[in-house]
Amino acid sequence: MRAETQSHVETIRKTLKLLGQRMDKETAPHRLEEFNTMIENPDLWNDPVKAQKLMRERQALMDALSTYTMIDSGLRDNVGLIELGEAEGDTEIVADAEASLKELLEVARAKELEALLDGEADGNDTFLEVNAGAGGTESCDWANMLARMYVRWAEKKGYKVELQSMSDGEEAGIKSAAYKISGKNAYGWLKSESGVHRLVRISPYDSAARRHTSFSSVWVYPVVDDNIEIEIAPNDIRIDTYRSSGAGGQHVNTTDSAVRITHIPTNIVVTSSMKSQHQNREIAMNALKSRLYQLELDKRNAAINAAHESKGDAGWGNQIRSYVLQPYQMVKDLRTNVETSDTQGVLDGDLDKFMAATLAMDVAGKSRAEANAED
């Protein structure tokens, strides 16, 4: 077997090992039998929420078992064909099997990434906020570039993107923007993007063409679904309305429809300004619930999410990624050391390599933490 083909085989075997660990392959068939017994209970749908949760868990386990079996069978079949072809000197059989292995490798890589998205809220829709940091007009422009980057990434994924609020910069760009991004595993993919993003470039706003460093922060938190209950006491919030720009742009068609909600105990502030006042109030309240849920998730997973919790102000330290456009071109993630010189591709939404590496790092960190806890 050629070295490249052997490498493909080993990579697929590693993926199978990971998939088996994530679903606990040894107990999976028994758990599926238990699920099947429970759904046959005629009283199950007396509690629709519980029933739907059970059905989702059952389907997820069935999908995991099916994926594992498909990859395992494909690997065995193609390795067998290669060995048979080599023994009989049939190069055509070997070539066909090697091509099939390459295709199986791509499937295995995709399934491995999906398996990493098994956190409590990974499957949820998500809110994403971008805020300009230190640097004035340059940082506002950088915040606008980041917002565009994430919208392009989401559109490539086939996700639905809804603008929740936006504050224009004084000269260019934006001071802040908030989006709701809806689609399978939206939060799971984007959660690793929370932090400070640093840009180095020759500023188009500097007549002397000097190099500038700018910072903007990104904050990602899951949309709270019906299965997660978050109670907010009326006395714990302050609701303000203020004037917002209409469809005509900045300072045009202003109304008093924008809503700002402040959660007094945590000082969390959320806004919505793109709809009617009633809709904005509902949107802002949902965003507040999601922020509070994210806060609870961070507390429970402090060891894993330490970098997110301590990201601080967008200006000094706490950067998760650097984007250098001049004097050379490089985007580098400072947590995983993954880097690329295709800066335009990244700014156009090619972010999966960074997200996947951080997901894998978080899973490894979680496994070490669990092992230490057992010790």
Side-chain angles (χ1 to χ4, degrees), residues 92 119 122 156 160 181 202 230 253 264 281 309 311:
E92 185 175 348
D122 282 354
K156 289 180 180 180
K160 179 182 179 182
I181 299 176
I202 302 297
I230 301 293
N253 299 332
I264 298 169
R281 183 184 177 118
E309 290 184 13
K311 64 182 184 293

Side-chain angles (χ1 to χ4, degrees), residues 59-212:
Q59 187 61 51
L61 182 57
M62 290 174 61
D63 291 345
L65 282 166
S66 176
T67 295
Y68 185 95
T69 300
M70 179 268 294
I71 296 175
D72 185 49
S73 297
L75 178 62
R76 292 176 185 275
D77 290 347
N78 285 295
V79 168
L81 285 172
I82 290 172
E83 291 174 347
L84 177 63
E86 289 177 340
E88 297 183 355
D90 191 329
T91 57
E92 185 175 348
I93 288 180
V94 172
D96 287 345
E98 288 180 339
S100 295
L101 269 180
K102 283 186 179 180
E103 294 177 2
L104 186 63
L105 177 63
E106 293 306 311
V107 172
R109 284 173 172 165
K111 295 301 182 182
E112 181 175 333
L113 287 179
E114 289 181 12
L116 297 176
L117 299 171
D118 66 348
E120 183 175 344
D122 282 354
N124 290 31
D125 300 336
T126 192
F127 291 111
L128 181 143
E129 295 181 5
V130 179
N131 293 281
T137 298
E138 180 70 12
S139 286
C140 288
D141 191 47
W142 174 222
N144 195 43
M145 292 167 64
L146 278 176
R148 174 187 176 276
M149 180 181 77
Y150 288 115
V151 169
R152 293 292 298 273
W153 173 86
E155 290 173 344
K156 289 180 180 180
K157 287 284 187 183
Y159 290 163
K160 179 182 179 182
V161 180
E162 300 173 82
L163 180 63
Q164 305 285 292
S165 64
M166 179 176 287
S167 175
D168 295 327
E170 293 181 2
E171 296 181 26
I174 58 173
K175 293 179 180 177
S176 65
Y179 298 89
K180 179 183 178 183
I181 299 176
S182 305
K184 182 181 179 182
N185 293 325
Y187 173 69
W189 279 111
L190 280 166
K191 65 182 180 182
S192 63
E193 294 299 295
S194 286
V196 175
H197 296 246
R198 171 178 175 262
L199 173 70
V200 179
R201 68 170 179 176
I202 302 297
S203 173
Y205 305 101
D206 187 338
S207 58
R210 290 171 295 188
R211 189 171 62 170
H212 285 241

